Amino acid sequence: MAYYLTALATSLVSLLLLAGFVAILSSCLQLWALPRTISVLGARDNSLLSRTAAYLAAWPSYHSSRAAAYAEFSRLGKPFISPSPSLGPDIVVPPQHVKWLLSQPSSVLAQRPALWEGMAIRYMFPSADPAAEFVPALVKRHMSPAGVDGMQADMYRELQRWTDAGLGTDKERWAEVALFDTLGTIMKHVGQRLYFGAELGSSDELGRVLQKLANWSGLGGLVIGQFSPAVFRRPLGWLFRIPLGYYTRAFKRIWEPAVRTQLEAGRLSGVGSATAGAVEALAGTKRHTVESISSNFMIMYGVASNVKQPGTLALLLNLITQRGAEARAFLPLLRHEVDTVFSQPTAWTDITTFTSKTLPLTTAFARESMRYSPLAASIPLRAVVAPGGVLLPDGITHVPRGARLACPAEAMTRDERFVPRPHVFDPFRFLEADDDDDEGGRRYRLKADSDIADVSESFLFFGFGRHACPGRFFMARLMMMLLAYVVKHYDFEPVSNDAPVPIRAGFVNLPPLGTRVRFRRRKGVYLAS
Protein backbone atom coordinates (compact mmCIF):
# COMPACT_ATOMS: atom_id res chain seq x y z
CA MET A 1 0.00 0.00 0.00
CA ALA A 2 2.82 2.39 0.91
CA TYR A 3 4.45 1.64 -2.44
CA TYR A 4 1.32 2.65 -4.37
CA LEU A 5 0.88 5.84 -2.33
CA THR A 6 4.51 6.76 -2.94
CA ALA A 7 4.14 6.05 -6.66
CA LEU A 8 0.95 8.15 -6.79
CA ALA A 9 2.60 11.05 -4.98
CA THR A 10 5.62 10.85 -7.28
CA SER A 11 3.37 10.87 -10.33
CA LEU A 12 1.43 13.87 -9.06
CA VAL A 13 4.63 15.80 -8.33
CA SER A 14 5.97 14.94 -11.79
CA LEU A 15 2.71 16.03 -13.37
CA LEU A 16 2.77 19.34 -11.50
CA LEU A 17 6.38 19.96 -12.48
CA LEU A 18 5.56 19.20 -16.11
CA ALA A 19 2.53 21.52 -15.98
CA GLY A 20 4.68 24.27 -14.47
CA PHE A 21 7.31 23.83 -17.15
CA VAL A 22 4.68 23.98 -19.91
CA ALA A 23 3.15 27.12 -18.36
CA ILE A 24 6.50 28.87 -18.09
CA LEU A 25 7.55 27.86 -21.59
CA SER A 26 4.28 29.04 -23.16
CA SER A 27 4.55 32.38 -21.35
CA CYS A 28 8.19 32.80 -22.42
CA LEU A 29 7.21 32.12 -26.03
CA GLN A 30 4.66 34.94 -25.79
CA LEU A 31 7.29 37.22 -24.24
CA TRP A 32 9.89 36.41 -26.92
CA ALA A 33 7.40 37.34 -29.64
CA LEU A 34 7.24 40.93 -28.35
CA PRO A 35 9.66 43.66 -29.45
CA ARG A 36 12.85 43.94 -27.42
CA THR A 37 12.53 47.70 -27.59
CA ILE A 38 9.82 47.51 -24.91
CA SER A 39 11.37 47.55 -21.43
CA VAL A 40 11.14 44.81 -18.81
CA LEU A 41 11.64 45.84 -15.18
CA GLY A 42 14.92 44.56 -13.78
CA ALA A 43 16.50 43.49 -17.07
CA ARG A 44 20.21 44.37 -17.00
CA ASP A 45 20.46 44.53 -20.76
CA ASN A 46 18.44 43.84 -23.89
CA SER A 47 19.45 40.21 -24.22
CA LEU A 48 16.82 37.48 -24.35
CA LEU A 49 18.24 35.77 -21.27
CA SER A 50 18.28 38.92 -19.14
CA ARG A 51 14.76 39.96 -20.16
CA THR A 52 13.38 36.46 -19.52
CA ALA A 53 15.04 36.18 -16.08
CA ALA A 54 13.75 39.62 -15.05
CA TYR A 55 10.26 38.83 -16.35
CA LEU A 56 10.00 35.54 -14.43
CA ALA A 57 11.46 37.14 -11.29
CA ALA A 58 8.74 39.81 -11.38
CA TRP A 59 5.88 37.30 -11.59
CA PRO A 60 5.66 36.19 -7.91
CA SER A 61 5.12 39.85 -6.94
CA TYR A 62 3.35 40.87 -10.15
CA HIS A 63 1.30 43.65 -8.54
CA SER A 64 4.16 45.45 -6.78
CA SER A 65 6.49 44.86 -9.73
CA ARG A 66 3.98 46.46 -12.07
CA ALA A 67 3.70 49.46 -9.73
CA ALA A 68 7.51 49.72 -9.70
CA ALA A 69 7.64 49.50 -13.49
CA TYR A 70 5.04 52.26 -13.71
CA ALA A 71 7.25 54.50 -11.59
CA GLU A 72 10.32 53.71 -13.69
CA PHE A 73 8.90 53.71 -17.22
CA SER A 74 5.36 55.11 -17.42
CA ARG A 75 6.34 58.39 -15.80
CA LEU A 76 8.80 58.83 -18.68
CA GLY A 77 6.14 58.09 -21.28
CA LYS A 78 7.48 54.61 -22.07
CA PRO A 79 5.52 51.36 -22.37
CA PHE A 80 6.74 48.30 -20.49
CA ILE A 81 6.14 44.54 -20.44
CA SER A 82 4.80 43.07 -17.21
CA PRO A 83 3.66 39.55 -16.27
CA SER A 84 -0.02 39.08 -15.52
CA PRO A 85 -1.09 36.81 -12.63
CA SER A 86 -1.47 34.01 -15.20
CA LEU A 87 2.16 34.55 -16.32
CA GLY A 88 1.12 35.93 -19.69
CA PRO A 89 2.79 39.18 -20.80
CA ASP A 90 0.89 42.48 -20.90
CA ILE A 91 2.20 45.57 -22.64
CA VAL A 92 1.29 48.43 -20.30
CA VAL A 93 1.06 51.75 -22.12
CA PRO A 94 1.90 55.03 -20.36
CA PRO A 95 -0.88 57.51 -19.43
CA GLN A 96 0.00 59.63 -22.48
CA HIS A 97 -1.11 56.75 -24.74
CA VAL A 98 -4.41 55.91 -23.04
CA LYS A 99 -6.50 58.09 -25.33
CA TRP A 100 -4.82 56.54 -28.38
CA LEU A 101 -5.37 53.02 -26.98
CA LEU A 102 -9.08 53.57 -26.42
CA SER A 103 -9.73 55.37 -29.69
CA GLN A 104 -8.46 52.64 -32.01
CA PRO A 105 -11.10 50.88 -34.14
CA SER A 106 -12.09 47.35 -33.11
CA SER A 107 -10.50 46.05 -36.31
CA VAL A 108 -7.12 47.09 -34.86
CA LEU A 109 -7.50 46.78 -31.08
CA ALA A 110 -10.46 44.74 -29.87
CA GLN A 111 -11.95 45.13 -26.41
CA ARG A 112 -14.43 42.29 -26.14
CA PRO A 113 -12.12 39.38 -27.06
CA ALA A 114 -9.64 40.59 -24.44
CA LEU A 115 -12.41 41.12 -21.89
CA TRP A 116 -13.96 37.71 -22.49
CA GLU A 117 -10.53 36.11 -22.26
CA GLY A 118 -9.69 37.90 -19.01
CA MET A 119 -13.04 36.98 -17.45
CA ALA A 120 -12.89 33.44 -18.92
CA ILE A 121 -16.35 33.88 -20.47
CA ARG A 122 -15.27 32.24 -23.72
CA TYR A 123 -14.26 29.09 -21.81
CA MET A 124 -17.20 28.89 -19.42
CA PHE A 125 -20.01 29.93 -21.80
CA PRO A 126 -19.09 28.70 -25.30
CA SER A 127 -22.63 29.29 -26.61
CA ALA A 128 -22.33 33.04 -26.01
CA ASP A 129 -21.26 35.21 -28.94
CA PRO A 130 -18.62 37.85 -28.13
CA ALA A 131 -19.31 39.63 -31.42
CA ALA A 132 -23.07 39.97 -30.88
CA GLU A 133 -24.14 43.60 -30.48
CA PHE A 134 -27.80 43.03 -29.62
CA VAL A 135 -27.40 42.77 -25.83
CA PRO A 136 -24.78 45.56 -25.47
CA ALA A 137 -27.07 47.82 -27.50
CA LEU A 138 -29.97 46.82 -25.23
CA VAL A 139 -27.92 47.68 -22.13
CA LYS A 140 -26.90 51.02 -23.60
CA ARG A 141 -30.50 51.92 -24.36
CA HIS A 142 -32.08 50.49 -21.21
CA MET A 143 -29.48 51.95 -18.85
CA SER A 144 -29.17 55.38 -20.41
CA PRO A 145 -29.87 58.31 -18.07
CA ALA A 146 -33.47 58.37 -19.29
CA GLY A 147 -33.80 54.63 -18.79
CA VAL A 148 -32.44 54.86 -15.26
CA ASP A 149 -34.90 57.69 -14.51
CA GLY A 150 -37.69 55.33 -15.51
CA MET A 151 -36.38 52.65 -13.15
CA GLN A 152 -35.78 54.94 -10.17
CA ALA A 153 -39.04 54.32 -8.33
CA ASP A 154 -38.71 50.53 -8.60
CA MET A 155 -35.03 50.75 -7.66
CA TYR A 156 -35.85 52.74 -4.53
CA ARG A 157 -38.67 50.47 -3.40
CA GLU A 158 -36.48 47.37 -3.61
CA LEU A 159 -33.47 49.07 -2.03
CA GLN A 160 -35.52 50.52 0.83
CA ARG A 161 -37.23 47.20 1.56
CA TRP A 162 -34.13 45.04 1.59
CA THR A 163 -31.84 47.59 3.26
CA ASP A 164 -34.29 47.89 6.13
CA ALA A 165 -34.50 44.10 6.32
CA GLY A 166 -30.73 43.71 6.31
CA LEU A 167 -29.65 46.59 8.57
CA GLY A 168 -32.70 46.65 10.84
CA THR A 169 -35.11 49.31 12.05
CA ASP A 170 -34.38 49.18 15.79
CA LYS A 171 -33.61 52.67 17.12
CA GLU A 172 -32.36 51.48 20.52
CA ARG A 173 -30.05 48.53 19.87
CA TRP A 174 -27.15 48.07 17.51
CA ALA A 175 -27.32 45.28 14.92
CA GLU A 176 -24.02 43.64 13.95
CA VAL A 177 -24.02 42.91 10.23
CA ALA A 178 -21.81 40.87 7.89
CA LEU A 179 -21.76 43.67 5.34
CA PHE A 180 -20.75 41.74 2.22
CA ASP A 181 -23.51 39.15 2.67
CA THR A 182 -26.10 41.80 3.48
CA LEU A 183 -25.22 43.85 0.42
CA GLY A 184 -25.38 40.68 -1.65
CA THR A 185 -29.01 40.23 -0.65
CA ILE A 186 -29.85 43.88 -1.32
CA MET A 187 -28.12 43.95 -4.71
CA LYS A 188 -29.65 40.61 -5.73
CA HIS A 189 -33.20 41.83 -5.19
CA VAL A 190 -32.61 45.24 -6.76
CA GLY A 191 -30.92 43.64 -9.77
CA GLN A 192 -33.59 40.99 -10.27
CA ARG A 193 -36.38 43.55 -10.19
CA LEU A 194 -34.74 45.83 -12.74
CA TYR A 195 -33.50 43.11 -15.08
CA PHE A 196 -36.48 40.77 -14.99
CA GLY A 197 -39.53 42.79 -13.93
CA ALA A 198 -41.90 42.34 -11.01
CA GLU A 199 -43.11 38.80 -11.76
CA LEU A 200 -39.82 37.12 -12.67
CA GLY A 201 -37.91 39.34 -10.26
CA SER A 202 -39.83 37.90 -7.33
CA SER A 203 -39.16 34.29 -8.34
CA ASP A 204 -37.18 32.48 -5.63
CA GLU A 205 -36.17 29.82 -8.14
CA LEU A 206 -34.74 32.39 -10.53
CA GLY A 207 -32.94 34.09 -7.66
CA ARG A 208 -31.35 30.82 -6.58
CA VAL A 209 -30.24 30.00 -10.13
CA LEU A 210 -28.79 33.46 -10.71
CA GLN A 211 -26.89 33.32 -7.40
CA LYS A 212 -25.33 29.97 -8.32
CA LEU A 213 -24.40 31.28 -11.75
CA ALA A 214 -22.82 34.39 -10.24
CA ASN A 215 -20.85 32.32 -7.71
CA TRP A 216 -19.51 29.81 -10.23
CA SER A 217 -18.77 32.36 -12.95
CA GLY A 218 -17.05 34.67 -10.45
CA LEU A 219 -14.87 31.82 -9.22
CA GLY A 220 -14.15 30.70 -12.77
CA GLY A 221 -13.26 34.22 -13.80
CA LEU A 222 -10.59 34.32 -11.09
CA VAL A 223 -9.26 30.77 -11.43
CA ILE A 224 -9.27 30.61 -15.24
CA GLY A 225 -9.15 34.22 -16.39
CA GLN A 226 -6.78 35.61 -13.76
CA PHE A 227 -4.54 32.80 -12.58
CA SER A 228 -4.43 30.08 -15.24
CA PRO A 229 -1.78 30.13 -18.00
CA ALA A 230 -3.36 30.13 -21.45
CA VAL A 231 -2.55 26.46 -22.16
CA PHE A 232 -4.69 25.32 -19.20
CA ARG A 233 -7.72 27.55 -19.70
CA ARG A 234 -9.65 25.34 -22.09
CA PRO A 235 -9.48 22.15 -19.97
CA LEU A 236 -10.33 24.12 -16.82
CA GLY A 237 -13.23 25.65 -18.72
CA TRP A 238 -14.56 22.14 -19.42
CA LEU A 239 -14.61 21.45 -15.68
CA PHE A 240 -16.44 24.67 -14.85
CA ARG A 241 -18.97 24.03 -17.62
CA ILE A 242 -20.40 21.12 -15.62
CA PRO A 243 -22.04 23.23 -12.89
CA LEU A 244 -22.39 26.29 -15.13
CA GLY A 245 -24.10 24.26 -17.84
CA TYR A 246 -26.61 22.92 -15.33
CA TYR A 247 -27.53 26.37 -14.03
CA THR A 248 -27.48 27.92 -17.51
CA ARG A 249 -30.08 25.40 -18.64
CA ALA A 250 -32.11 26.16 -15.53
CA PHE A 251 -31.97 29.89 -16.30
CA LYS A 252 -33.08 29.32 -19.88
CA ARG A 253 -35.99 27.14 -18.76
CA ILE A 254 -37.27 30.08 -16.74
CA TRP A 255 -36.37 33.11 -18.87
CA GLU A 256 -36.92 31.97 -22.45
CA PRO A 257 -40.56 30.81 -22.05
CA ALA A 258 -41.43 34.05 -20.24
CA VAL A 259 -39.99 36.13 -23.09
CA ARG A 260 -41.65 34.01 -25.79
CA THR A 261 -45.00 34.32 -24.01
CA GLN A 262 -44.70 38.11 -23.99
CA LEU A 263 -43.70 38.16 -27.66
CA GLU A 264 -46.65 36.01 -28.67
CA ALA A 265 -49.07 38.07 -26.56
CA GLY A 266 -47.69 41.34 -27.92
CA ARG A 267 -47.45 42.87 -24.48
CA LEU A 268 -44.71 43.75 -22.01
CA SER A 269 -44.69 42.41 -18.45
CA GLY A 270 -42.68 44.45 -16.01
CA VAL A 271 -42.30 47.53 -18.20
CA GLY A 272 -39.01 49.23 -17.47
CA SER A 273 -37.07 46.01 -16.91
CA ALA A 274 -34.24 44.85 -19.15
CA THR A 275 -36.29 41.76 -20.02
CA ALA A 276 -39.14 43.98 -21.24
CA GLY A 277 -36.57 45.91 -23.27
CA ALA A 278 -35.39 42.65 -24.82
CA VAL A 279 -38.97 41.68 -25.71
CA GLU A 280 -39.56 45.06 -27.30
CA ALA A 281 -36.32 44.88 -29.29
CA LEU A 282 -36.93 41.29 -30.41
CA ALA A 283 -40.40 42.23 -31.64
CA GLY A 284 -38.82 44.74 -34.02
CA THR A 285 -36.15 42.49 -35.57
CA LYS A 286 -35.91 39.16 -37.35
CA ARG A 287 -32.14 38.93 -37.02
CA HIS A 288 -32.21 37.60 -33.46
CA THR A 289 -34.24 35.06 -31.51
CA VAL A 290 -34.90 34.50 -27.83
CA GLU A 291 -32.52 31.53 -27.91
CA SER A 292 -29.73 33.43 -29.67
CA ILE A 293 -29.59 36.20 -27.03
CA SER A 294 -30.35 34.14 -23.94
CA SER A 295 -26.74 33.34 -22.98
CA ASN A 296 -25.53 36.88 -23.64
CA PHE A 297 -28.40 38.32 -21.58
CA MET A 298 -27.53 36.01 -18.69
CA ILE A 299 -23.85 37.00 -18.89
CA MET A 300 -24.80 40.68 -18.93
CA TYR A 301 -26.67 40.20 -15.65
CA GLY A 302 -23.82 38.19 -14.15
CA VAL A 303 -21.17 40.79 -15.01
CA ALA A 304 -23.30 43.53 -13.48
CA SER A 305 -23.85 41.44 -10.33
CA ASN A 306 -20.13 40.82 -9.89
CA VAL A 307 -19.48 44.59 -10.00
CA LYS A 308 -22.39 45.89 -7.88
CA GLN A 309 -21.65 43.94 -4.71
CA PRO A 310 -17.91 44.73 -4.28
CA GLY A 311 -18.44 48.28 -5.56
CA THR A 312 -21.13 49.08 -2.99
CA LEU A 313 -19.17 47.27 -0.26
CA ALA A 314 -16.16 49.52 -0.88
CA LEU A 315 -18.47 52.55 -0.81
CA LEU A 316 -19.95 51.75 2.59
CA LEU A 317 -16.64 50.66 4.10
CA ASN A 318 -15.12 53.98 3.05
CA LEU A 319 -18.08 55.71 4.70
CA ILE A 320 -17.79 53.77 7.95
CA THR A 321 -14.09 53.09 8.45
CA GLN A 322 -12.21 56.12 7.08
CA ARG A 323 -10.43 57.89 9.93
CA GLY A 324 -8.56 60.70 8.17
CA ALA A 325 -9.21 64.33 8.99
CA GLU A 326 -10.84 64.96 5.61
CA ALA A 327 -13.24 62.03 6.03
CA ARG A 328 -14.16 63.07 9.59
CA ALA A 329 -14.86 66.62 8.45
CA PHE A 330 -16.91 65.43 5.48
CA LEU A 331 -19.45 63.19 7.22
CA PRO A 332 -21.40 65.95 9.09
CA LEU A 333 -21.66 67.95 5.85
CA LEU A 334 -22.78 64.86 3.94
CA ARG A 335 -25.42 64.07 6.55
CA HIS A 336 -26.69 67.65 6.52
CA GLU A 337 -27.04 67.54 2.73
CA VAL A 338 -28.93 64.24 2.78
CA ASP A 339 -31.21 65.30 5.65
CA THR A 340 -32.04 68.50 3.80
CA VAL A 341 -32.66 67.03 0.36
CA PHE A 342 -34.64 64.04 1.66
CA SER A 343 -36.74 65.91 4.19
CA GLN A 344 -39.79 64.42 2.42
CA PRO A 345 -40.15 60.74 1.42
CA THR A 346 -41.23 61.69 -2.11
CA ALA A 347 -37.72 62.96 -2.88
CA TRP A 348 -36.48 59.38 -3.23
CA THR A 349 -38.56 58.76 -6.34
CA ASP A 350 -38.18 62.24 -7.84
CA ILE A 351 -35.89 61.96 -10.89
CA THR A 352 -34.55 65.48 -10.30
CA THR A 353 -33.12 64.50 -6.91
CA PHE A 354 -30.15 62.29 -7.79
CA THR A 355 -28.07 64.82 -9.68
CA SER A 356 -24.69 66.34 -8.93
CA LYS A 357 -26.33 69.76 -8.59
CA THR A 358 -28.78 68.57 -5.93
CA LEU A 359 -26.39 66.19 -4.16
CA PRO A 360 -22.85 67.49 -4.78
CA LEU A 361 -21.37 66.08 -1.56
CA THR A 362 -23.00 62.67 -2.05
CA THR A 363 -21.66 62.62 -5.60
CA ALA A 364 -18.17 63.65 -4.51
CA PHE A 365 -18.05 60.97 -1.81
CA ALA A 366 -19.05 58.21 -4.24
CA ARG A 367 -16.57 59.48 -6.85
CA GLU A 368 -13.74 59.49 -4.31
CA SER A 369 -14.65 55.98 -3.19
CA MET A 370 -14.36 54.78 -6.80
CA ARG A 371 -10.96 56.47 -7.11
CA TYR A 372 -9.66 55.31 -3.76
CA SER A 373 -10.96 51.71 -4.10
CA PRO A 374 -10.80 50.78 -7.80
CA LEU A 375 -12.08 47.30 -8.65
CA ALA A 376 -9.40 46.58 -11.23
CA ALA A 377 -5.72 47.43 -11.33
CA SER A 378 -5.16 47.33 -15.08
CA ILE A 379 -8.00 48.26 -17.40
CA PRO A 380 -9.13 48.30 -20.05
CA LEU A 381 -7.37 45.51 -21.92
CA ARG A 382 -7.17 45.48 -25.69
CA ALA A 383 -6.11 42.62 -27.94
CA VAL A 384 -4.16 43.42 -31.11
CA VAL A 385 -6.28 41.88 -33.89
CA ALA A 386 -4.99 43.73 -36.97
CA PRO A 387 -3.26 41.15 -39.21
CA GLY A 388 -0.18 43.33 -39.50
CA GLY A 389 -0.08 44.30 -35.82
CA VAL A 390 -0.05 47.92 -34.67
CA LEU A 391 2.48 50.74 -34.31
CA LEU A 392 2.52 52.38 -30.87
CA PRO A 393 2.28 56.19 -30.64
CA ASP A 394 6.04 56.50 -30.16
CA GLY A 395 6.32 55.81 -33.90
CA ILE A 396 9.00 53.18 -33.31
CA THR A 397 7.55 50.17 -31.51
CA HIS A 398 5.59 47.69 -33.60
CA VAL A 399 3.43 45.23 -31.64
CA PRO A 400 2.42 41.95 -33.31
CA ARG A 401 -1.04 40.50 -33.63
CA GLY A 402 -2.17 38.59 -30.54
CA ALA A 403 -0.42 40.87 -28.03
CA ARG A 404 -2.39 42.40 -25.17
CA LEU A 405 -2.27 46.09 -24.31
CA ALA A 406 -3.37 47.50 -20.97
CA CYS A 407 -3.36 50.85 -19.21
CA PRO A 408 -2.36 51.21 -15.55
CA ALA A 409 -5.70 52.37 -14.19
CA GLU A 410 -4.98 51.95 -10.48
CA ALA A 411 -1.44 53.36 -10.71
CA MET A 412 -2.86 56.49 -12.35
CA THR A 413 -5.18 57.04 -9.37
CA ARG A 414 -2.07 56.98 -7.15
CA ASP A 415 -0.04 59.31 -9.38
CA GLU A 416 0.41 62.81 -7.94
CA ARG A 417 0.50 64.22 -11.46
CA PHE A 418 -3.19 63.43 -11.73
CA VAL A 419 -4.32 63.29 -8.08
CA PRO A 420 -2.79 65.50 -5.35
CA ARG A 421 -2.16 63.54 -2.14
CA PRO A 422 -3.44 60.35 -3.80
CA HIS A 423 -3.19 58.11 -0.71
CA VAL A 424 -5.58 60.34 1.27
CA PHE A 425 -9.34 59.69 1.12
CA ASP A 426 -10.60 63.19 0.42
CA PRO A 427 -14.00 63.79 -1.24
CA PHE A 428 -13.34 67.55 -1.07
CA ARG A 429 -10.97 67.14 -4.05
CA PHE A 430 -14.01 67.01 -6.36
CA LEU A 431 -15.72 70.07 -4.85
CA GLU A 432 -15.33 73.82 -4.92
CA ALA A 433 -16.85 76.53 -2.75
CA ASP A 434 -20.26 77.71 -3.90
CA ASP A 435 -20.29 81.31 -2.71
CA ASP A 436 -23.23 82.23 -4.93
CA ASP A 437 -25.78 79.87 -3.40
CA ASP A 438 -25.90 80.73 0.29
CA GLU A 439 -29.68 81.05 0.17
CA GLY A 440 -30.06 77.39 -0.72
CA GLY A 441 -27.72 76.33 2.05
CA ARG A 442 -25.16 74.69 -0.27
CA ARG A 443 -21.59 75.47 0.57
CA TYR A 444 -20.11 73.40 -2.26
CA ARG A 445 -20.67 72.52 -5.87
CA LEU A 446 -19.16 69.73 -7.88
CA LYS A 447 -16.20 70.53 -10.10
CA ALA A 448 -16.53 70.08 -13.83
CA ASP A 449 -16.19 66.51 -15.15
CA SER A 450 -16.46 65.07 -11.63
CA ASP A 451 -19.87 63.40 -11.76
CA ILE A 452 -19.92 59.69 -10.87
CA ALA A 453 -20.57 58.54 -14.42
CA ASP A 454 -18.07 60.96 -16.00
CA VAL A 455 -15.11 59.20 -17.60
CA SER A 456 -11.72 60.58 -18.53
CA GLU A 457 -8.25 59.45 -19.60
CA SER A 458 -7.11 59.46 -15.95
CA PHE A 459 -10.30 58.11 -14.32
CA LEU A 460 -11.00 54.68 -15.78
CA PHE A 461 -13.35 53.05 -13.26
CA PHE A 462 -15.98 52.80 -16.04
CA GLY A 463 -13.52 52.79 -18.95
CA PHE A 464 -13.32 55.60 -21.45
CA GLY A 465 -14.44 56.61 -24.92
CA ARG A 466 -16.93 54.70 -27.01
CA HIS A 467 -16.31 51.54 -25.00
CA ALA A 468 -17.10 53.13 -21.63
CA CYS A 469 -19.36 50.87 -19.56
CA PRO A 470 -22.92 51.29 -20.88
CA GLY A 471 -24.36 50.39 -17.46
CA ARG A 472 -22.47 53.09 -15.57
CA PHE A 473 -25.51 55.37 -15.20
CA PHE A 474 -27.40 52.59 -13.43
CA MET A 475 -24.43 51.82 -11.16
CA ALA A 476 -23.97 55.54 -10.39
CA ARG A 477 -27.63 55.99 -9.43
CA LEU A 478 -27.58 52.84 -7.32
CA MET A 479 -24.45 53.94 -5.43
CA MET A 480 -25.85 57.41 -4.74
CA MET A 481 -29.20 56.04 -3.59
CA LEU A 482 -27.64 53.46 -1.26
CA LEU A 483 -25.19 55.98 0.20
CA ALA A 484 -27.89 58.58 0.78
CA TYR A 485 -30.29 56.04 2.29
CA VAL A 486 -27.76 54.68 4.77
CA VAL A 487 -26.55 58.16 5.79
CA LYS A 488 -30.13 59.39 6.21
CA HIS A 489 -31.48 56.47 8.19
CA TYR A 490 -28.61 54.89 10.14
CA ASP A 491 -25.87 55.46 12.64
CA PHE A 492 -22.94 53.13 12.05
CA GLU A 493 -19.62 52.08 13.49
CA PRO A 494 -17.01 49.41 12.70
CA VAL A 495 -16.86 46.35 14.94
CA SER A 496 -13.05 46.37 14.88
CA ASN A 497 -10.69 49.31 15.12
CA ASP A 498 -8.34 47.65 12.66
CA ALA A 499 -8.33 49.24 9.23
CA PRO A 500 -9.89 46.89 6.63
CA VAL A 501 -7.29 45.32 4.36
CA PRO A 502 -8.34 44.95 0.70
CA ILE A 503 -7.98 41.58 -1.04
CA ARG A 504 -6.00 41.35 -4.27
CA ALA A 505 -7.17 38.47 -6.45
CA GLY A 506 -4.98 38.76 -9.50
CA PHE A 507 -5.52 42.26 -10.82
CA VAL A 508 -9.00 42.38 -9.30
CA ASN A 509 -9.22 44.45 -6.12
CA LEU A 510 -11.82 43.28 -3.63
CA PRO A 511 -12.79 45.05 -0.40
CA PRO A 512 -12.36 42.88 2.74
CA LEU A 513 -15.31 40.53 2.38
CA GLY A 514 -15.52 39.45 6.02
CA THR A 515 -15.87 42.92 7.57
CA ARG A 516 -18.60 43.25 10.19
CA VAL A 517 -20.25 46.59 10.96
CA ARG A 518 -22.80 47.82 13.52
CA PHE A 519 -25.91 49.72 12.42
CA ARG A 520 -28.69 51.41 14.39
CA ARG A 521 -31.69 53.26 13.04
CA ARG A 522 -31.38 56.99 13.61
CA LYS A 523 -33.90 58.53 15.96
CA GLY A 524 -36.17 61.27 14.69
CA VAL A 525 -36.00 60.09 11.08
CA TYR A 526 -39.21 59.22 9.28
CA LEU A 527 -39.81 55.62 8.29
CA ALA A 528 -39.76 55.67 4.50
CA SER A 529 -42.90 54.39 2.89
Side-chain angles (χ1 to χ4, degrees):
M1 184 67 173
Y3 169 79
Y4 290 111
L5 290 176
T6 302
L8 178 61
T10 302
S11 299
L12 287 175
V13 170
S14 300
L15 184 62
L16 288 173
L17 289 174
L18 177 61
F21 174 77
V22 170
I24 291 172
L25 179 60
S26 65
S27 299
C28 288
L29 290 173
Q30 296 175 59
L31 171 68
W32 298 338
L34 300 178
R36 293 197 195 182
T37 54
I38 307 179
S39 301
V40 175
L41 181 71
R44 295 188 304 272
D45 52 51
N46 210 26
S47 67
L48 195 65
L49 180 61
S50 178
R51 289 167 61 82
T52 303
Y55 178 84
L56 294 177
W59 176 69
S61 57
Y62 51 82
H63 191 276
S64 59
S65 65
R66 187 168 290 197
Y70 177 87
E72 182 169 339
F73 302 116
S74 292
R75 287 177 176 269
L76 301 177
K78 296 180 179 180
F80 63 87
I81 297 173
S82 174
S84 67
S86 63
L87 246 182
D90 288 339
I91 299 174
V92 183
V93 303
Q96 297 92 318
H97 296 172
V98 168
K99 187 174 183 179
W100 167 85
L101 176 72
L102 303 182
S103 64
Q104 295 302 299
S106 56
S107 59
V108 177
L109 299 179
Q111 179 197 40
R112 209 169 299 162
L115 179 66
W116 283 42
E117 179 76 26
M119 299 177 68
I121 293 174
R122 59 173 295 197
Y123 303 105
M124 297 187 293
F125 301 100
S127 62
D129 181 8
E133 292 295 334
F134 182 89
V135 172
L138 171 64
V139 175
K140 190 173 184 179
R141 180 174 62 253
H142 178 68
M143 294 189 174
S144 65
V148 174
D149 285 345
M151 296 187 289
Q152 181 169 310
D154 288 334
M155 185 188 306
Y156 171 68
R157 280 190 287 268
E158 293 296 320
L159 185 140
Q160 179 261 326
R161 174 186 175 187
W162 294 103
T163 302
D164 286 353
L167 304 186
T169 57
D170 195 321
K171 296 182 179 182
E172 302 297 332
R173 291 175 294 182
W174 291 91
E176 186 172 311
V177 171
L179 196 53
F180 182 74
D181 295 337
T182 300
L183 283 173
T185 300
I186 296 169
M187 294 301 109
K188 179 185 77 172
H189 286 285
V190 172
Q192 277 187 232
R193 175 64 181 85
L194 300 182
Y195 275 83
F196 301 102
E199 184 176 348
L200 277 179
S202 61
S203 166
D204 291 337
E205 182 183 4
L206 178 62
R208 181 184 64 84
V209 168
L210 290 171
Q211 188 62 56
K212 295 292 186 180
L213 280 168
N215 292 344
W216 279 104
S217 61
L219 179 62
L222 288 175
V223 172
I224 304 173
Q226 288 284 306
F227 291 108
S228 298
V231 294
F232 301 134
R233 291 180 179 179
R234 196 172 298 278
L236 283 172
W238 293 335
L239 293 176
F240 273 85
R241 281 184 216 168
I242 297 172
L244 285 170
Y246 174 81
Y247 291 113
T248 296
R249 290 189 293 273
F251 169 80
K252 292 183 176 184
R253 283 197 300 269
I254 299 170
W255 190 74
E256 289 182 1
V259 174
R260 280 195 291 269
T261 298
Q262 293 185 50
L263 277 171
E264 292 167 1
R267 62 179 178 82
L268 302 181
S269 175
V271 175
S273 70
T275 293
V279 172
E280 187 176 19
L282 284 168
T285 180
K286 302 297 182 183
R287 295 176 54 204
H288 302 280
T289 64
V290 178
E291 294 78 11
S292 71
I293 72 165
S294 182
S295 292
N296 282 51
F297 190 92
M298 178 187 69
I299 291 169
M300 173 190 74
Y301 176 83
V303 170
S305 297
N306 288 330
V307 171
K308 291 199 299 288
Q309 193 170 352
T312 52
L313 175 61
L315 177 71
L316 292 190
L317 286 180
N318 285 326
L319 173 70
I320 297 166
T321 64
Q322 286 296 329
R323 297 175 176 83
E326 292 81 1
R328 289 197 304 271
F330 197 85
L331 181 56
L333 298 174
L334 176 62
R335 181 154 275 171
H336 174 73
E337 174 181 271
V338 170
D339 284 342
T340 301
V341 172
F342 296 101
S343 59
Q344 299 297 322
T346 53
W348 295 98
T349 54
D350 186 342
I351 62 173
T352 65
T353 299
F354 289 97
T355 67
S356 58
K357 184 176 181 180
T358 306
L359 294 168
L361 279 81
T362 307
T363 305
F365 190 96
R367 176 89 172 187
E368 176 67 350
S369 180
M370 292 157 58
R371 182 205 68 83
Y372 190 81
S373 305
L375 296 181
S378 296
I379 56 172
L381 288 174
R382 293 291 187 272
V384 179
V385 295
V390 66
L391 186 68
L392 296 186
D394 60 11
I396 301 173
T397 308
H398 185 270
V399 178
R401 182 180 185 180
R404 296 197 318 173
L405 303 180
C407 44
E410 183 180 19
M412 291 167 66
T413 69
R414 303 295 187 262
D415 190 332
E416 291 186 352
R417 294 178 299 170
F418 307 113
V419 184
R421 300 191 307 150
H423 295 286
V424 175
F425 186 89
D426 181 14
F428 289 105
R429 72 175 77 249
F430 296 112
L431 297 165
E432 57 190 7
D434 189 356
D435 298 328
D436 300 328
D437 200 11
D438 291 335
E439 183 179 344
R442 298 189 192 93
R443 296 176 53 197
Y444 298 94
R445 61 172 175 264
L446 203 68
K447 292 180 180 178
D449 302 320
S450 295
D451 209 340
I452 303 182
D454 287 342
V455 295
S456 71
E457 298 166 49
S458 60
F459 191 88
L460 297 168
F461 189 95
F462 289 125
F464 179 66
R466 68 180 186 278
H467 291 300
C469 174
R472 66 187 185 278
F473 302 104
F474 165 62
M475 183 66 181
R477 187 73 56 89
L478 180 61
M479 292 177 74
M480 287 186 68
M481 187 177 289
L482 176 67
L483 176 61
Y485 192 86
V486 170
V487 169
K488 172 73 178 177
H489 293 94
Y490 290 93
D491 294 316
F492 35 77
E493 63 181 24
V495 171
S496 170
N497 290 325
D498 297 331
V501 179
I503 302 168
R504 295 200 182 277
F507 281 117
V508 176
N509 298 323
L510 295 174
L513 307 184
T515 306
R516 301 185 70 84
V517 177
R518 295 189 186 97
F519 289 92
R520 182 179 63 194
R521 194 79 172 200
R522 288 177 67 198
K523 295 181 180 180
V525 178
Y526 61 79
L527 284 175
S529 58

